[in-house]
Structure formats: structure tokens, C-alpha cells
């Protein structure tokens, strides 16, 4: 697993609730058998017009958000399909951190597995961050997983929580399958007990 | 203890302070879309599949629903299916391939074959794995990295979810189905109302449902954000299971039933949250927006965003109405449709097709509608054909197709064209779900059939059956 310690980056606001994984990466792009090649199709129906040209109205296409690596969105981000292609697409596009008031379970899990940090903040803080992205061109945040803090350079500073274990895995970039395999004895014992 | 607590306790492999619990997985279902990268990961790490005997595959998501003797026209889809075949062969996993008489949507065939059983843990790289909870199994969807994890270890590290009981009061009225109950619950608690929870459905209305209905209900749990949905097994469950291919037989069957009978939540079981639903007051539902929680009874009208409680809800409603091309306060029954889709793991089992056929019998679909029936599996298709349901549908102008996910997600050629409006028995009305620019209204099979015939939504409770 890719590790995540600290990240400073440009913030892009996506002021929509219930952004589902069908929007993040539409089905016609799920036929690939690799883990790569999804970034260019991220938010496809929103980023591109039906004729395939760039939709200049979509927020990620605005010049000021080019190179953004932190996405801030409204509640229940990543709901719907369990497709891990969604975090793959977000990560390949360049996002390292997603901030929202809440995330769908499977999506949040999938993010951790890909070295991307889903950060839950209270609704008003999320709104405040969105506002700041609009008021300050080039608005950046620094997310520190070790300290579990988020801060900008103009006075916003707050904390977030992820579970101890997930924090540890992400900081170390641990291979969690390898970790489970170290419990081989327990697994075999369990299997034997059920025969 | 709750049903969930009992299953959790029975599957603990390892517990340690500050770490997620290692949970044993009894059944792992895989399909072509979310598994190839997991197998690649295994190979890269030099690992193998720990329990191929507990792993089963099928191709369902991107398969064409037209003539299966022809090669698949979409080369990339064909490669994905071929990859599944190769992976199953390499690791010794049983595959219900597209020409197998047991192929079908993964959540339809698991129960049908008796693989899905009370008391077991089931995972699949698909969010609607919650379907299998109808049997009193703990079943949940996972991502591809977790698919790899289960392939390699047959275990999954999990944080214990909280429990929610959805207690129904009274019976569902005539014409109101499990689908309407599911939509009613989501409408009440919201699409994130059960995030972090495992739901147990209980009460008279749930007991009164067939296994098919229970599967429909549990299927939609994920649409309320739930990790899983469960129903305690009872006589209805056992009768459904008896004699199925992979179900226990002989003495093992009796022992299994005795065990299954102990699984229900104890009378003094404590849930973290309880929601009450008056089932007898429910009506047939129709979604009007782009999220399953945007739902109203068929007798109602498209809501006005101005009435929304919060600014966020207002903005979401406005966006949804714009996408759906609907005007506030339009009567639901005045909304005309272009397409109807009867299918998906929510509503493509035999009982669903029977219910829809009963509505269709003696009628013809509206001249402005084209309509599709896609059975959930080959077994469903064959059983339906034995009863002559295919002829009822065909005579009425529906297309009768081969089994698969089809227009539920439109990964294969079955998609809506931009601007087309569809009455669909599937589970997601997200923007573009059934095809870019397509507009999806979620309904029950009877409601979809009736809408196809009338050309607009109509209240099934007033239907004249022929
Ligand atoms: S029918 Fe639809 S919801 Fe069900 S597994 Fe297939 S794509 Fe997913």
C-alpha cells in the first residue's frame, strides 16, 4: 500500500452531496483489467460535453483549480457502487485527500487501500473551506496524518480523526494482506475448529 | 444478542486491542469487473487463492443479453470475461460462465444454487451483496483490494459496524411490494441514514415476504448507506433452501436447520438504533430524482425544491429536477416514459417476472414505449418460459432477453439514449447510470409493467387485471 504522511496541495471545491461512484467513474470505463488508465475518465460526464470536448463550466476544468490534489465535497461522498475504480481514478488524476462531512463506507475503505486519505470534517468546516477556495485563488491546505491536523496559511486549523489502525497502516504504507498472513496460525486454527 | 452479533461472534478469527477484527469469510463470489486487478495483485505478490472451494465466479455485468452464440462484439468486454475465465482456471475456482445453464447475476445465482445460507459470511466485489442477508447471512460488498485480501487469506479485517433495527408495523397493502417497502425506508432515513450500520429488518411485513421479496428488501440496504441488511431465517427461508444444489442434504440438513433456528435476535437484544415503519400505510413508490432517497408515492407529485428543509437539500433537488427535466408539482401519474426495464438483482427473480406478467397479460405496451425484460439468471429464464411468461411479455411487445445486469448499469449495449425516460425495476437512479443523459425512475416490477402499457406512471392498485 502506498503510504501517506503529510500533504500540502491546491484545494478544489465540488459543492455536491451524494456524489456517487457512477459519477466518479462511469461504467463504460470499468472494462479495463488493469489498475491504471482511469484518471483521464474521472467525472467523465461532468468534465466532458457529449461531443467529447471539455466542459468549461465544470469546476475541475477551471484554470485556477488545475493541479488540485485535495478535493472538498458535500456529504455522503462516494456512495453507490463498490467499484475501486473510483479511488483509482481520483488518485491517478492527482488527488491525495478528499474532505467531506461524510463518506460512504466502502468508498472510504477503498481510499485507504490506495494511499488516499478520506477526511471527515464537520459540515460547517467543510463549507468554510469551500468558501475559502473561492475567495482565495491558489488556496492550499496542509493535511498531516501523523498529527491528524488540517490547516491553511490564513488562520484555519482543525483536527480530524481516523482509526488508530488505519492511521498506522497508511503512515507505514503497510501491505495489509501480508499482515493478515502473519496470523496464519489463527486462521488455520479457526478453519480446523469448524470442520 | 442480535442476529448480527451472533454471526460476528461465530466468525472471529482474531481480536486485538486497537486493531480491526479478523473475520472469516465463508463464501466469496466474484465477477468479471471487480476481480481482474485482484488476481493480478495475487500473482505480483506470488500469492495464491487460499480457499478456491469457497470461491465462485460468474460473468454478469458486461455480458450481452442478445444471442449468446455470437461472439461478444465489444472487444474490451470480451477481454474482461476471458480474463475471468483464465483466472478461475488458473486458481481452480468454479465459474458459471456465460453459456452455463447456471449463469446469472451474481446475487441471483448465489441464493438460487443454495450457496447462500443462513449464518454464513459472504462477500463479493459488489455493493449489492447485501441481497444475501435475506437468508440471515452477513453479506457485504467490498472493493477490489479487499477481493484480493479474501482470495489470499479467506479473511477480512473489519471494524465492527453498529446495528440498526428497522421494525415494520402491520402488513403491506395489496399492490405494495418489497421494493416499495425498501424505497419507503430509504425515503424516510435518507441515502446515508444507515451509514456505518448493519440493518436487521423485522416485523410482520417482513415475515410476510417471500424469499424473493426479502432479497429485494436487503438488496436496497446499500442505497440507505448500510454495510449490510439482514433478516432472521425462518420457515420461509428453510423451505426456499431445501433441495438446492449446494444446500446441506440428509442429516446435515436437519442439523443445519436446527442451528439456523438459533440465529434470530434474542428478545432482549439491544440495537444501536431502531427505526419504525408503518408498512400498512405505504403506497407504491416512484423516484423523481437522481438519488434513491428522492422518492414519493405514486399518488403524489414532484416536490418543489423551495419546500426543502436545508439549503443543501434545495440545491440537490434543483439539480436533480434539472437533470430529470421535471417541473415541481407535476403529478407523478402525468410523467410519461420512453422505456421500461424489468431486470437487475433487485427485481429479476421469478416472482418479480410473474408479478409483472400478471399486469401485462392481455395488454400491449404503449406505442411510444420500448420495453425490456431481462431475467436474473438462466434458471429464472427457463422457469419463466416453462410458465409461458416469455410469451405474455413478447405478445405485449416486450423484448425477452438473456440474463445479466443489462440496463441496470448499462455496461453492455443495453443503455438509455440521452434524454430518454425509463421506468426501471433496478436500484439506482443516479445521473447517467442507465446511459449518459438517461432519466431513471425506480419502481416495482408491477409499476414498471403498468407504466410501459399506459405510457405513463399509474397507480397499480387501480389496475384492471385481465
Ligand atoms: S444487476 Fe445492477 S446492481 Fe445488481 S449486480 Fe448487476 S449491476 Fe450491480
Amino acid at each position: 500500500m502506498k503510504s501517506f504522511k503529510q500533504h500540502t496541495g491546491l484545494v478544489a471545491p465540488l459543492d455536491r452531496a451524494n456524489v456517487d461512484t457512477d459519477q466518479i467513474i462511469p461504467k463504460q470505463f470499468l472494462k479495463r483489467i488493469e489498475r491504471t488508465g482511469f484518471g483521464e475518465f474521472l467525472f467523465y460526464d461532468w468534465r466532458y460535453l457529449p461531443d467529447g470536448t471539455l466542459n468549461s463550466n465544470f469546476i475541475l476544468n477551471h484554470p485556477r483549480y488545475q493541479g488540485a490534489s485535495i478535493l472538498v465535497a458535500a456529504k455522503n461522498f462516494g456512495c453507490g457502487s463498490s467499484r475501486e475504480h473510483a479511488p483509482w481514478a481520483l488518485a491517478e488524476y492527482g488527488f491525495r485527500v478528499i474532505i467531506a462531512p461524510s463518506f460512504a463506507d466502502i468508498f472510504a475503505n477503498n481510499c485507504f487501500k490506495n494511499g488516499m486519505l478520506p477526511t471527515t470534517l464537520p459540515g460547517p468546516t467543510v463549507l468554510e473551506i469551500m468558501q475559502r477556495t473561492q475567495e482565495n485563488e491558489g488556496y492550499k491546505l496542509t493535511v498531516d496524518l501523523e498529527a491528524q491536523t488540517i490547516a491553511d496559511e490564513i488562520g484555519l486549523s482543525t483536527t480530524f480523526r481516523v482509526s488508530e489502525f488505519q492511521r498506522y497502516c497508511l503512515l507505514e504504507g503497510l501491505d495489509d494482506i501480508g499482515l493478515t498472513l502473519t496470523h496464519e496460525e489463527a486462521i488455520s486454527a479457526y478453519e480446523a475448529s469448524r470442520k | 444478542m442480535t442476529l448480527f452479533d451472533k454471526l460476528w461472534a461465530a466468525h472471529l478469527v482474531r481480536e486485538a486491542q486497537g486493531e480491526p477484527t479478523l473475520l472469516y469469510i465463508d463464501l466469496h463470489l466474484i465477477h468479471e469487473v471487480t476481480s481482474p486487478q485482484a488476481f493480478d495483485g495475487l500473482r505480483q505478490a506470488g500469492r495464491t487463492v487460499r480457499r478456491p472451494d469457497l470461491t465462485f465466479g460468474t460473468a454478469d455485468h458486461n455480458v450481452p443479453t442478445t444471442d449468446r452464440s455470437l461472439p461478444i462484439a465489444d472487444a474490451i468486454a470480451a477481454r474482461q470475461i476471458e480474463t475471468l475465465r483464465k483466472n478461475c482456471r488458473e486458481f481452480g475456482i468454479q465459474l458459471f460462465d456465460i453459456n452455463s445453464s447456471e449463469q446469472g447475476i451474481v446475487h441471483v445465482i448465489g441464493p438460487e444454487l443454495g450457496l447462500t445460507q443462513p449464518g454464513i459470511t459472504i462477500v463479493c466485489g459488489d455493493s449489492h451483496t447485501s441481497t444475501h442477508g435475506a437468508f440471515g447471512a452477513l453479506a457485504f460488498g467490498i472493493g477490489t483490494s479487499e477481493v484480493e485480501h479474501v482470495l489470499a487469506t479467506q479473511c477480512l479485517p473489519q471494524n465492527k459496524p453498529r446495528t440498526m433495527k428497522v421494525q415494520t408495523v402491520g402488513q403491506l397493502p395489496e399492490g405494495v411490494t418489497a421494493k416499495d417497502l425498501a424505497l419507503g425506508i430509504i425515503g424516510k432515513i435518507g441515502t446515508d441514514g444507515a451509514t456505518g450500520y448493519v440493518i436487521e429488518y423485522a416485523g410482520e411485513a417482513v415475515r410476510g415476504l417471500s424469499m424473493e421479496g426479502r432479497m429485494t428488501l436487503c438488496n436496497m440496504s446499500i442505497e440507505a448507506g448500510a454495510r449490510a441488511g439482514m433478516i432472521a431465517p425462518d420457515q420461509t427461508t428453510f423451505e426456499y433452501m431445501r433441495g438446492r444444489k449446494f444446500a446441506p442434504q440428509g442429516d446435515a440438513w436437519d442439523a443445519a436447520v436446527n442451528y439456523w433456528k438459533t440465529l434470530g435476535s434474542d428478545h432482549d437484544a439491544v440495537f444501536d438504533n431502531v427505526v419504525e415503519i408503518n408498512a400498512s400505510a405505504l403506497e407504491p413508490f416512484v423516484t423523481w430524482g437522481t438519488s434513491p432517497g428522492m422518492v414519493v408515492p405514486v399518488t403524489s407529485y414532484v416536490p418543489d425544491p423551495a419546500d426543502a428543509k436545508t439549503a443543501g437539500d434545495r440545491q440537490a433537488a434543483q439539480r436533480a429536477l434539472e437533470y430529470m427535466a421535471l417541473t415541481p408539482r407535476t403529478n407523478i401519474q402525468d410523467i410519461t416514459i420512453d422505456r421500461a426495464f424489468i431486470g437487475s438483482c433487485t427485481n429479476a427473480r421469478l416472482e418479480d417476472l410473474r408479478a409483472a406478467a400478471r399486469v401485462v397479460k392481455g395488454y400491449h405496451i404503449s406505442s411510444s414505449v420500448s420495453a425490456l425484460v431481462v431475467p436474473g439468471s438462466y434458471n429464472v429464464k427457463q422457469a419463466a418460459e416453462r410458465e409461458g411468461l416469455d410469451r405474455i411479455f413478447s405478445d405485449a411487445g416486450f423484448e425477452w432477453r438473456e440474463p445479466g445486469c443489462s440496463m441496470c448499469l448499462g455496461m453492455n449495449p443495453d443503455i438509455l439514449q440521452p434524454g430518454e425516460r425509463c421506468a426501471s425495476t433496478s436500484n439506482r437512479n443516479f445521473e447517467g447510470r442507465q446511459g449518459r443523459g438517461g432519466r431513471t425512475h425506480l419502481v416495482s416490477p408491477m409499476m414498471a409493467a403498468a407504466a410501459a402499457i399506459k405510457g405513463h406512471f399509474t397507480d397499480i392498485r387501480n389496475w384492471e387485471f385481465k
Side-chain angles (χ1 to χ4, degrees), chain B residues 315-390:
Chain B
Q315 190 199 1
Q318 255 153 5
R319 266 193 64 85
L321 288 187
E322 212 172 287
Y323 181 86
M324 295 295 289
L326 290 172
T327 322
R329 308 210 177 271
T330 305
N331 274 327
I332 293 294
Q333 299 181 54
D334 290 339
I335 300 174
T336 58
I337 61 163
D338 309 300
R339 308 280 295 267
F341 171 64
I342 299 177
S344 89
C345 59
T346 313
N347 280 132
R349 285 169 285 267
L350 187 57
E351 181 182 283
D352 301 312
L353 303 191
R354 277 185 190 146
R358 214 180 122 229
V359 173
V360 167
K361 197 171 177 192
Y363 287 97
H364 197 277
I365 57 173
S366 157
S367 57
S368 56
V369 173
S370 72
L372 210 58
V373 185
V374 184
S377 70
Y378 264 122
N379 277 317
V380 169
K381 179 168 184 260
Q382 275 169 350
E385 287 173 355
R386 277 197 296 275
E387 293 179 13
L389 303 187
D390 57 325

Side-chain angles (χ1 to χ4, degrees), chain B residues 13-73:
Chain B
V13 170
R14 181 177 176 274
E15 272 185 307
Q17 190 66 38
E19 288 181 40
T21 300
L22 202 57
L23 212 60
Y24 198 77
I25 303 302
D26 296 317
L27 176 64
H28 187 191
L29 302 169
I30 59 172
H31 63 79
E32 76 277 26
V33 178
T34 57
S35 69
Q37 296 86 355
F39 284 106
D40 265 354
L42 277 190
R43 272 187 291 264
Q44 273 164 27
R47 291 172 179 146
T48 186
V49 177
R50 183 183 178 90
R51 295 295 302 269
D53 57 322
L54 302 181
T55 313
F56 294 85
T58 191
D60 54 0
H61 279 65
N62 77 26
V63 301
T65 54
T66 46
D67 190 351
R68 291 275 168 83
S69 59
L70 301 172
I72 298 176

Side-chain angles (χ1 to χ4, degrees), chain B residues 61 105 107 126 128 344-345 405 408-409 427 433:
Chain B
H61 279 65
I105 303 172
H107 310 309
D126 191 285
H128 289 101
S344 89
C345 59
C405 293
C408 172
L409 92 163
N427 43 52
R433 169 82 177 179

Side-chain angles (χ1 to χ4, degrees), chain B residues 252-288:
Chain B
W253 168 261
D254 296 331
V257 171
N258 282 335
Y259 171 58
W260 295 342
K261 283 182 178 162
T262 67
L263 292 174
S265 291
D266 301 329
H267 289 297
D268 55 357
V270 182
F271 291 83
D272 297 310
N273 199 344
V274 179
V275 174
E276 217 180 77
I277 293 277
N278 184 355
S280 54
L282 293 179
E283 298 181 58
F285 281 99
V286 181
T287 64
W288 54 266

Side-chain angles (χ1 to χ4, degrees), chain B residues 191-314:
Chain B
T191 49
D192 57 355
T195 301
Y197 288 94
V198 166
I199 298 178
E200 180 177 340
Y201 299 98
E204 237 182 293
V206 175
R207 289 289 136 223
L209 291 176
S210 65
M211 283 321 291
E212 280 90 340
R214 294 179 189 185
M215 285 189 253
T216 302
L217 179 59
C218 287
N219 173 276
M220 299 278 292
S221 304
I222 180 72
E223 259 53 70
R227 200 80 186 94
M230 305 175 87
I231 295 172
D234 60 10
Q235 209 50 43
T236 306
T237 322
F238 310 146
E239 264 150 39
Y240 177 97
M241 293 226 42
R242 190 192 295 276
R244 301 222 168 234
K245 187 169 174 183
F246 290 91
Q249 316 283 341
D251 290 348
W253 168 261
D254 296 331
V257 171
N258 282 335
Y259 171 58
W260 295 342
K261 283 182 178 162
T262 67
L263 292 174
S265 291
D266 301 329
H267 289 297
D268 55 357
V270 182
F271 291 83
D272 297 310
N273 199 344
V274 179
V275 174
E276 217 180 77
I277 293 277
N278 184 355
S280 54
L282 293 179
E283 298 181 58
F285 281 99
V286 181
T287 64
W288 54 266
T290 52
S291 164
M294 295 173 165
V295 65
V296 289
V298 62
T299 50
S300 185
Y301 52 85
V302 176
D304 192 335
D307 300 337
K309 284 193 205 85
T310 66
D313 287 352
R314 190 174 319 126

Side-chain angles (χ1 to χ4, degrees), chain A residues 43 53 72 110:
Chain A
F43 294 123
T53 58
V72 50
N110 285 341

Side-chain angles (χ1 to χ4, degrees), chain A residues 96-116:
Chain A
R96 297 297 317 278
V97 179
I98 320 280
I99 298 172
S102 62
F103 291 89
D105 278 342
I106 306 177
F107 175 81
N109 246 324
N110 285 341
C111 285
F112 281 112
K113 308 273 180 194
N114 288 281
M116 204 163 52

